Amino acid sequence: MKVVGYADKLSVEPGAAITFMVSSEPGRFSAQLVRLIHGDENPAGPGYKDVTISSTLDGEYEGGEQKLRTGSYLRAPSSAELDGARDLTVQTWICPTLPSKAVQTIVSRGGADGFALRLEDGRLTLRLGSASVSVDQTVRAGQWYFVAAVHDAATGRVLLTLEPSAGATSGLGARLDTVVDAAPTSGAGDVLVAAEVTAEGEVGNFYNGKIDAPKIFTRALGDDELAALRDDADTAPTDAVAAWDFSQGIDTWSVVDASGRGHDAEAVNKPARGMTGRNWTGREMSWKHAPSEYGAIHFHDDDLSDAAWTPSFEWTVPDDFRSGVYAVHLTSGDHEDYVPFYVVPPLGRPTADTAIILPVFSYLAYANEQMLGPTGVYSGQLAGYPRQPQDKYVVETGLRSLYDRHTDGSGVCYSSWLRPIVNMRPKYDMPFLDMGEGSPHQFNADLHLIDWLEQKGIEFDIITDLEVHRDGVSRLNDYRVVSTASHNEYWSEAMLDAGEAYVNGGGRFMYLSGNGMYWVTALDEATGTGVEIRRSGPAQRCWDAAPGEATLSSTGEPGGLWRFRGRAPQRWLGVGSIAEGGGVGRPYDRQPGSHDPRAAFIFEGIADDEQIGAFPCLVNSWGAAGFEICQTNPKLGTPEHTVVLASARDFDTSDWGVFSEELQLSAIWDGEIRADMVFIEYPNGGAVFGVGSISWCGSLSHNNYDNNVSRVTENVFRGFASETLPA
């Protein structure tokens, strides 16, 4: 993509400003504000729709290429004490995860005239100015090592020590004691952990793996002192000028210098915190319970939390601006990009009785996913991938989603919106859907619902996960009806609390999603610009957190599925995830519950024997129950008074698979793959209507919006919006 951008906010209220960052390799580019209606270009549907909005941001701008600079590290300020030092000792523990990479820096200060403790082709190396020395032994991936580098400026002596942790196979250690004609280590420059300033003046040579408790001394330590540090002995020297303790402030991106000398560091690009250290015993599985055993940070050369591009333009949303889904359409010649954002009303000032929750936490989870790319679980399984310009950009730049793995094979657990999210775009299809032909998913699939609402003249506000998370039930209480879109998979505890309180307090909730409220998700409160998950099984997952590392660093809460924290979606929605499939879906058959007088309004105008959704769909090609589906389960909390209105059955098991959390022993399962449509009454006039299918919204526009999926959905929207539920 020659033109690509992002915004500093996902959602914005009228009267507030939003800033856009654009990279335009051709140079000059144009920007035009549009309101997005329908982003799916499939000729079987209504086609792409937007509305051009005249605004003060419209126009041409000077531009240039802005690059993505990946790689996580720590930056700590230098000091006169460090700048004036000639002697040096650097000591830490490392657990490398990609030792085959040519140059990886562990601790450094300054540029070419400074020092860098590195791994070079897997060998511990000390660079002093232009001189460097290395041990002969290469390190092994996943092995903890005590490492130290000592330089005595007066004699030129350099000592390098590499010692594996206790219990390791013999022969993995190394020691080098030599004399080097090196420049003094004095001079200015910040201290970097897991990176260094390269000869080109850029931060680079990023390290992959864990680092625990790095220390710098401004003197040459002796062998006995190094041994005491290795053994955590009481006699270990305490005069380090910098001693970073990663076990403190795990829920922040600040790193404490326990020496008290003022070299506190800041993490760049969010390396993984809350990670097991070199002294982890396995007796506690959460950093909250034994922080001293979680003194490691895991760094990656492909971490990216903030692209930090130069702003291209800012726009203040007019005070009377309509809530909706918007984008800035960027063009330069034949190149284009859309940068979506969401205008939401202020809390307590709704402009409609109905709100649609757009699942931005889920958008962030899937942001720039490479499941078919080099780091994906399905890499190489789709011929011709990547075909779309967005997928090509993701592969070329190495962007990652929460479904991908880092270059060292560890799972990606943080996702930020301060970078281009090129699959959160109109006109984009998820490649492996619809038997590999591709169809909309997440953002572009959610526009199917937006288009239908516009077509039916149903007034609505847009809110996002961010507003629900921050404002709680008070945000939902602004509305008589609240509806999800097609796939609200990633919810926080605050959001679940809000949803349950809303329906119990009289709110009407429409669950037009499949596989919803599934993964424990947290907003990174320290930055407010991204989310965190920790994948932990049993679950339908593409990577596993390492032992002891399934606790979220941002909140300290257990990761994994909400189901295993006693908060399965069945508990309040009646249905929860059961299966997924990439091929055709199935229609719903009405069940006896559909004749309950309380549900009569839902099926007004629909015959008793009429299958619901037995026609083409814009997601997975056919059937209103498709892609990922949900069903009732009393064992997981489906309320006894849940009314099952309709069910979809007879899924082709050669294409459809049951979610792995349902399986026991050797993949034994004796249940039924089924999607259930439900209705639940709550106190104070509250109610839930759920369809349990990602494909439902993709069926709304069939036959020019005249179909029974559309009719059921309209009946519920209008019935739920009434003062009292229709009898």
Side-chain angles (χ1 to χ4, degrees):
M1 298 176 69
K2 303 297 185 182
V3 177
V4 65
Y6 66 95
D8 69 335
K9 299 180 179 71
L10 288 180
S11 62
V12 59
E13 294 182 0
I18 181 170
T19 301
F20 297 88
M21 278 57 66
V22 179
S23 173
S24 178
E25 192 173 331
R28 195 168 179 81
F29 67 92
S30 296
Q32 172 66 60
L33 181 65
V34 296
R35 182 161 55 86
L36 296 175
I37 307 297
H38 194 269
D40 188 354
E41 296 182 296
N42 188 336
Y48 178 78
K49 300 180 187 178
D50 68 21
V51 177
T52 299
I53 307 292
S54 178
S55 74
T56 57
L57 70 79
D58 303 340
E60 292 193 355
Y61 296 86
E62 295 297 332
E65 183 180 9
Q66 303 204 61
K67 295 185 177 181
L68 297 174
R69 291 179 169 83
T70 61
S72 58
Y73 61 98
L74 306 182
R75 181 184 291 275
S78 189
S79 63
E81 194 170 12
L82 279 171
D83 293 345
R86 293 175 57 82
D87 296 338
L88 172 72
T89 298
V90 181
Q91 180 271 313
T92 189
W93 282 264
I94 64 170
C95 181
T97 53
L98 197 65
S100 60
K101 184 182 175 184
V103 180
Q104 301 180 75
T105 302
I106 301 166
V107 180
S108 70
R109 190 176 70 86
D113 295 332
F115 74 84
L117 181 62
R118 298 165 155 178
L119 294 178
E120 293 188 1
D121 296 318
R123 298 183 303 154
L124 185 68
T125 301
L126 178 64
R127 176 183 64 78
L128 294 168
S130 59
S132 65
V133 293
S134 304
V135 301
D136 292 332
Q137 180 67 46
T138 57
V139 297
R140 294 187 180 181
Q143 171 68 53
W144 276 107
Y145 294 90
F146 171 88
V147 299
V150 180
H151 175 230
D152 186 322
T155 64
R157 180 188 182 227
V158 170
L159 172 68
L160 285 177
T161 297
L162 175 74
E163 296 187 50
S165 60
T169 304
S170 63
L172 300 186
R175 177 183 171 93
L176 175 69
D177 194 339
T178 187
V179 174
V180 176
D181 182 13
T185 59
S186 61
D190 290 345
V191 177
L192 304 185
V193 176
E196 67 178 285
V197 177
T198 66
E200 294 76 27
E202 301 281 346
V203 177
N205 294 341
F206 299 103
Y207 169 81
N208 289 273
K210 295 180 181 180
I211 298 177
D212 190 342
K215 298 179 176 65
I216 298 177
F217 297 81
T218 53
R219 63 185 182 87
L221 266 59
D223 287 354
D224 290 344
E225 292 177 303
L226 292 177
L229 286 169
R230 178 198 62 203
D231 299 335
D232 291 320
D234 293 340
T235 57
T238 59
D239 59 335
V241 296
W244 293 281
D245 184 355
F246 298 166
S247 71
Q248 298 187 46
I250 287 174
D251 59 347
T252 75
W253 301 109
S254 298
V255 177
V256 173
D257 173 15
S259 76
R261 307 290 184 90
H263 299 108
D264 292 348
E266 289 297 321
V268 178
N269 279 334
K270 293 185 180 178
R273 301 205 66 176
M275 311 303 275
T276 55
R278 40 94 187 180
N279 60 338
W280 184 60
T281 63
R283 297 188 185 98
E284 294 291 349
M285 301 300 287
S286 168
W287 63 265
K288 293 283 287 186
H289 302 145
S292 63
E293 296 183 17
Y294 285 81
I297 293 179
H298 192 154
F299 299 88
H300 308 90
D301 60 9
D302 56 1
D303 282 327
L304 179 65
S305 67
D306 187 349
W309 286 357
T310 301
S312 300
F313 55 89
E314 182 183 88
W315 180 60
T316 299
V317 182
D319 291 335
D320 59 351
F321 209 70
R322 173 184 173 179
S323 177
V325 182
Y326 293 87
V328 173
H329 185 201
L330 304 170
T331 57
S332 181
D334 295 333
H335 307 288
E336 72 170 357
D337 188 27
Y338 291 83
V339 182
F341 64 99
Y342 316 99
V343 175
V344 302
L347 179 64
R349 292 164 53 189
T351 64
D353 290 334
T354 295
I356 308 300
I357 304 175
L358 288 187
V360 295
F361 285 8
S362 296
Y363 298 165
L364 288 171
Y366 285 92
N368 304 311
E369 61 89 2
Q370 278 201 52
M371 279 187 276
L372 292 164
T375 65
V377 292
Y378 302 124
S379 178
Q381 295 188 26
L382 181 65
Y385 178 87
R387 295 190 294 254
Q388 299 173 98
Q390 294 91 344
D391 294 322
K392 292 178 181 178
Y393 181 81
V394 165
V395 171
E396 290 168 359
T397 59
L399 288 168
R400 299 286 190 268
S401 78
L402 298 183
Y403 284 82
D404 299 318
R405 298 184 178 101
H406 290 290
T407 51
D408 67 358
S410 59
V412 180
C413 61
Y414 306 121
S415 180
S416 164
W417 65 73
L418 294 180
R419 56 183 181 142
I421 302 177
V422 295
N423 59 353
M424 188 180 71
R425 298 293 191 259
K427 306 180 183 180
Y428 177 81
D429 290 338
M430 177 176 269
F432 61 71
L433 288 181
D434 196 13
M435 305 301 288
E437 294 299 318
S439 66
H441 178 237
Q442 289 281 227
F443 173 75
N444 204 19
D446 291 344
L447 291 176
H448 290 149
L449 176 61
I450 301 303
D451 170 61
W452 179 85
L453 290 164
E454 294 278 353
Q455 190 72 25
K456 293 296 179 178
I458 297 174
E459 295 185 359
F460 62 95
D461 281 344
I462 292 294
I463 58 175
T464 77
D465 294 348
L466 289 163
E467 285 71 49
V468 181
H469 175 84
R470 290 167 174 160
D471 301 333
V473 70
S474 60
R475 174 63 74 164
L476 301 182
N477 283 340
D478 280 345
Y479 302 96
R480 183 165 291 164
V481 183
V482 172
S483 177
T484 71
S486 67
H487 192 185
N488 294 55
E489 182 176 359
Y490 292 82
W491 270 39
S492 69
E493 182 176 38
M495 293 172 67
L496 288 180
D497 291 345
E500 293 186 31
Y502 174 68
V503 295
N504 278 292
R508 285 81 178 267
F509 194 88
M510 296 176 64
Y511 176 62
L512 304 184
S513 174
N515 182 219
M517 297 70 171
Y518 188 68
W519 285 104
V520 175
T521 311
L523 181 71
D524 174 20
E525 299 289 353
T527 64
T529 59
V531 296
E532 178 189 6
I533 65 164
R534 297 291 173 109
R535 297 201 189 277
S536 176
Q540 198 75 348
R541 63 203 185 279
C542 48
W543 55 265
D544 281 303
E549 295 177 355
T551 298
L552 278 63
S553 66
S554 51
T555 61
E557 63 185 308
L561 300 188
W562 280 116
R563 166 177 177 163
F564 296 111
R565 288 180 56 184
R567 302 200 70 170
Q570 287 92 336
R571 196 175 84 168
W572 67 289
L573 297 175
V575 293
S577 300
I578 187 64
E580 66 179 349
V584 297
R586 298 292 300 151
Y588 293 82
D589 293 300
R590 291 182 62 171
Q591 300 299 303
S594 68
H595 301 292
D596 188 308
R598 295 171 296 175
F601 75 99
I602 297 173
F603 295 95
E604 185 177 343
I606 297 173
D608 290 351
D609 60 351
E610 193 173 340
Q611 285 192 311
I612 300 167
F615 46 76
C617 170
L618 295 178
V619 174
N620 279 25
S621 74
W622 196 89
F627 185 14
E628 291 179 338
I629 57 174
C630 306
Q631 69 183 40
T632 58
N633 188 339
K635 293 180 180 179
L636 293 178
T638 298
E640 291 184 3
H641 60 286
T642 298
V643 180
V644 178
L645 305 172
S647 297
R649 291 184 164 88
D650 301 324
F651 289 88
D652 182 355
T653 54
S654 65
D655 179 65
W656 282 75
V658 176
F659 278 20
S660 57
E661 62 267 21
E662 299 290 337
L663 306 177
Q664 298 177 353
L665 294 178
S666 298
I668 292 175
W669 188 68
D670 58 0
E672 176 188 24
I673 296 178
R674 187 184 74 248
D676 290 328
M677 181 190 303
V678 297
F679 173 68
I680 310 172
E681 287 190 313
Y682 275 89
N684 306 305
V688 164
F689 169 79
V691 300
S693 166
I694 287 179
S695 295
W696 180 270
C697 292
S699 303
L700 291 168
S701 64
H702 174 68
N703 192 34
N704 197 30
Y705 310 91
D706 184 12
N707 64 77
N708 51 27
V709 170
S710 174
R711 194 167 301 118
V712 166
T713 308
E714 184 173 3
N715 288 344
V716 178
F717 264 108
R718 299 197 186 281
F720 271 22
S722 60
E723 185 71 27
T724 58
L725 290 174

